[in-house]
Amino acid sequence: MLPPVLAIDGPSGAGKGTVSRLVAKKLGWHYLDSGSIYRALAIAVLQKAIDVADEAGIVEIARTMELAFACADGLAVTLDGNDITHQLSLETTGNTASMIAVLPAVRAALLEKQHSFRRMPGLVADGRDMGTVVFPDAPHKIFLTASAEKRAERRYKQLIEKGVDANLSRLLLDIQERDRRDSERAAAPLLMAADAVFLDTSEMPVESVIAEVLRLINK
Ligand code: DC
């Protein structure tokens, strides 16, 4: 029998990362941060100065890049032996990841890597297409979202806490642009799976979201 999967999909900044990490910890399950795979590929593309529309060139990098997560929850990530942990969370990295994520052959090239995270006793998979494309047979699926304004506010606070300079209205525009690109692309767009549970976290503290997710799994 295949290990169970809890798929948590939703737009950027909905709190998927925090919620998925904590739920995985509570359940003792593995954790896949699929966005970090797209982000790592984006870093490689930027480093090699490959055009974001060069599908064949990017697929080649996706096939050959050596990606290692030092911690199961993605705390430290190396790309071809170099630590890229700090570059992963940069806005440029996220925006480039969103641009190369529209390419169907690139998405296909990253499937196997994502499937390899499915191990006993189970996997919490966080992304955009976990419940629709990567793990369509997942027994548990949640679509986590929040208003664009709330998500921009949360991202702003995170950046300020990290000591990174940030502009709230710029972040809101970036989030709206990223939502549009992630939702309108033809290949595996951000879409709620028909059998997913919808959860709007705009007015929910993180503890309540985690309690609700655990309640849904134990049902
Ligand atoms: O979740 P994130 O912000 O780290 O993801 C960065 C980008 O990667 C996102 O804008 C679109 C892409 N992505 C994707 O297309 N599919 C996924 N499962 C995860 C991320």
Side-chain angles (χ1 to χ4, degrees), residues 12 16 34-35 38-39 94 97-98 101 107 127-130 178 182 185:
S12 296
K16 289 174 298 171
S34 62
Y38 285 90
R39 283 172 182 264
S98 166
R107 304 196 70 84
R128 304 289 188 293
D129 59 345
M130 299 296 100
R178 181 112 56 99
D182 292 349
R185 68 178 177 224

Side-chain angles (χ1 to χ4, degrees), residues 126-179:
D126 134 22
R128 304 289 188 293
D129 59 345
M130 299 296 100
T132 50
V133 176
V134 183
F135 303 108
D137 64 330
H140 315 283
K141 298 180 187 178
I142 292 173
F143 193 83
L144 208 68
T145 190
S147 69
E149 288 73 17
K150 276 279 172 199
R151 290 184 281 130
E153 240 171 65
R154 288 176 187 164
R155 182 80 186 129
Y156 178 78
K157 279 195 194 139
Q158 271 175 359
L159 289 170
I160 297 295
E161 272 164 23
K162 276 194 203 163
V164 179
D165 202 18
N167 175 306
L168 186 58
S169 39
R170 180 74 245 162
L171 283 173
L172 178 59
L173 285 176
D174 278 353
I175 281 191
Q176 287 166 333
E177 170 62 13
R178 181 112 56 99
D179 281 357

Side-chain angles (χ1 to χ4, degrees), residues 65-193:
M65 70 177 178
E66 293 276 347
L67 199 55
F69 294 82
C71 252
D73 60 3
L75 281 184
V77 183
T78 60
L79 170 67
D80 298 328
N82 300 311
D83 189 346
I84 53 159
T85 314
H86 295 295
Q87 293 168 62
L88 278 177
S89 56
L90 297 177
E91 293 302 306
T92 351
T93 305
N95 287 328
T96 309
S98 166
M99 287 180 207
I100 59 176
V102 305
L103 306 168
V106 170
R107 304 196 70 84
L110 295 178
L111 270 180
E112 203 181 309
K113 177 86 192 154
Q114 296 175 82
H115 288 155
S116 71
F117 280 76
R118 187 173 195 170
R119 277 174 279 131
M120 283 298 187
L123 174 70
V124 179
D126 134 22
R128 304 289 188 293
D129 59 345
M130 299 296 100
T132 50
V133 176
V134 183
F135 303 108
D137 64 330
H140 315 283
K141 298 180 187 178
I142 292 173
F143 193 83
L144 208 68
T145 190
S147 69
E149 288 73 17
K150 276 279 172 199
R151 290 184 281 130
E153 240 171 65
R154 288 176 187 164
R155 182 80 186 129
Y156 178 78
K157 279 195 194 139
Q158 271 175 359
L159 289 170
I160 297 295
E161 272 164 23
K162 276 194 203 163
V164 179
D165 202 18
N167 175 306
L168 186 58
S169 39
R170 180 74 245 162
L171 283 173
L172 178 59
L173 285 176
D174 278 353
I175 281 191
Q176 287 166 333
E177 170 62 13
R178 181 112 56 99
D179 281 357
R180 193 194 53 72
R181 206 184 298 119
D182 292 349
S183 312
E184 290 180 3
R185 68 178 177 224
L190 172 62
L191 205 78
M192 181 169 136

